[in-house]
Structures are given as C-alpha cells and as structure tokens.
Amino acid sequence: PIALSAMTVWVALYGWAVLRNEVQETVPTFVWKVFKIGLVLAFALQSGFYISNVADTANALAMGVIGDNIANVGTVGYRAGTASFAELLSQSLETGASGSGVGLWDLSRSWNPGASERTEKVTDLAVEGQGFFMVADDAGTPSYTRAGNFEIDAAGNLVNPDGLRAQGKKVVNAEAGLLGNIESIRIP
C-alpha cells in the first residue's frame, strides 16, 4: 500500500512536469517508465496478496480446529485437536529461499487424559492412555472409539449408543493366561 501510494504520487507529479515540458523527457518515454514500474509493483503486490491469502487460509484452518474443540467440549471420548504451522518456501534452500507464507504442517490429537467422571452405571467405562474400545456392527466390521458410555441390550450384548457391540477376548484359562478370539462382550 505504501509503495502503491508513493508510485501514484510520483506518476502524478512527474507526469505533470513532463506534460508542462519542465523535464527533458518525452511523453512516450515517461509512459514506458510508468509501465515498467507498474509491472514491478504488480508482481510485488501479487506476491503480497498470495502470501496474505495463504495466511488467511491457515488462520481459517486454525479457527476450524478451535471451533471443533469448543463444539465437542461435552462429547464423551473427544480428543482435542492442535494445528501446527510451518513456513512455506518458494525456492530451494541452496539459492537463498524466501518465504511464501505459512501452511498447515500437522493436525494432531491430544492424548492428555480427559476428566473422568464417576457415574452410577457399571457399564460406563474409561480408557487411560492411548487405547481405544473396539466395537463392531452386525457384519463384524470393527471400529474404534474412546467413548465408554456402554449399555446392555436386550440380547445381553455390551453396546454403545449407536448399537455397536463392544469387542473383547474371553479368558479361556486365567492361570495360564490364555485368551480366546475377539468376540462380542455378552453380560449374562
């Protein structure tokens, strides 16, 4: 903006001087000078607009992550997200790279333990650390969740609110530490 304003003032004042024959320059030469300076400024402004657009996009991504975190503050088992950013380089490092803005580098999930809340339901469970509950649909397709708000359905299966059955391994021989195959957890 400052360069564009300075160029506008220069063109106006110098152009007025050219038209009044106060300088030793012809009008075509002056127009050619203005054209060259305009090209230089246009490329400089284009780069600036590109960098600011990239920064706005990165900022929008960060705001989206923050919005997701706020919207899911009451969601059982939700892991907060963190957006990390890095500078974008327009050239290789050997040639003296210049920055081209900022871009999303990584979107990671927090593994910090959330607040555990004691309930009166014996089927409400919590995971400590980086584990997940394994659940499966009627076809046996596995899914994974951090939400431990389970219930017992009419058939005695431990299910989540979506009706997916909790999966686990049945103890075959506790003394020998033998476990069976993965199957739906049933509460008799």
Side-chain angles (χ1 to χ4, degrees):
I2 294 172
L4 188 58
S5 300
M7 183 192 160
T8 304
V9 170
W10 178 84
V11 167
L13 294 176
Y14 195 76
W16 182 251
V18 168
L19 290 175
R20 293 186 358 207
N21 290 325
E22 293 177 359
V23 293
Q24 298 296 323
E25 190 164 21
T26 64
V27 173
T29 307
F30 169 72
V31 171
W32 178 244
K33 255 187 199 177
V34 169
F35 177 73
K36 289 190 297 186
I37 292 172
L39 279 178
V40 169
L41 282 175
F43 285 125
L45 288 174
Q46 180 184 11
S47 175
F49 287 138
Y50 170 77
I51 291 171
S52 65
N53 186 26
V54 168
D56 286 345
T57 302
N59 189 39
L61 289 169
M63 294 304 290
V65 170
I66 292 168
D68 287 347
N69 290 342
I70 292 170
N72 286 293
V73 73
T75 302
V76 176
Y78 180 76
R79 307 312 303 163
T82 303
S84 301
F85 299 93
E87 182 179 2
L88 300 176
L89 300 177
S90 63
Q91 302 170 5
S92 69
L93 294 175
E94 291 84 27
T95 61
S98 61
S100 290
V102 66
L104 182 66
W105 179 259
D106 183 41
L107 179 59
S108 58
R109 294 284 167 202
S110 169
W111 289 102
N112 293 332
S116 294
E117 197 174 305
R118 182 174 293 279
T119 67
E120 299 302 318
K121 290 177 60 180
V122 295
T123 57
D124 282 345
L125 307 171
V127 175
E128 289 186 14
Q130 296 187 9
F132 289 90
F133 292 109
M134 183 179 182
V135 293
D137 60 13
D138 291 335
T141 306
S143 298
Y144 300 91
T145 181
R146 298 269 307 171
N149 50 338
F150 294 102
E151 295 180 2
I152 300 172
D153 68 5
N157 294 310
L158 189 64
V159 296
N160 71 2
D162 296 326
L164 300 175
R165 295 184 308 276
Q167 303 293 295
K169 291 185 177 184
K170 185 183 281 187
V171 177
V172 176
N173 185 334
E175 294 175 8
L178 295 175
L179 301 175
N181 294 328
I182 295 176
E183 58 186 67
S184 296
I185 298 174
R186 293 189 44 119
I187 310 295

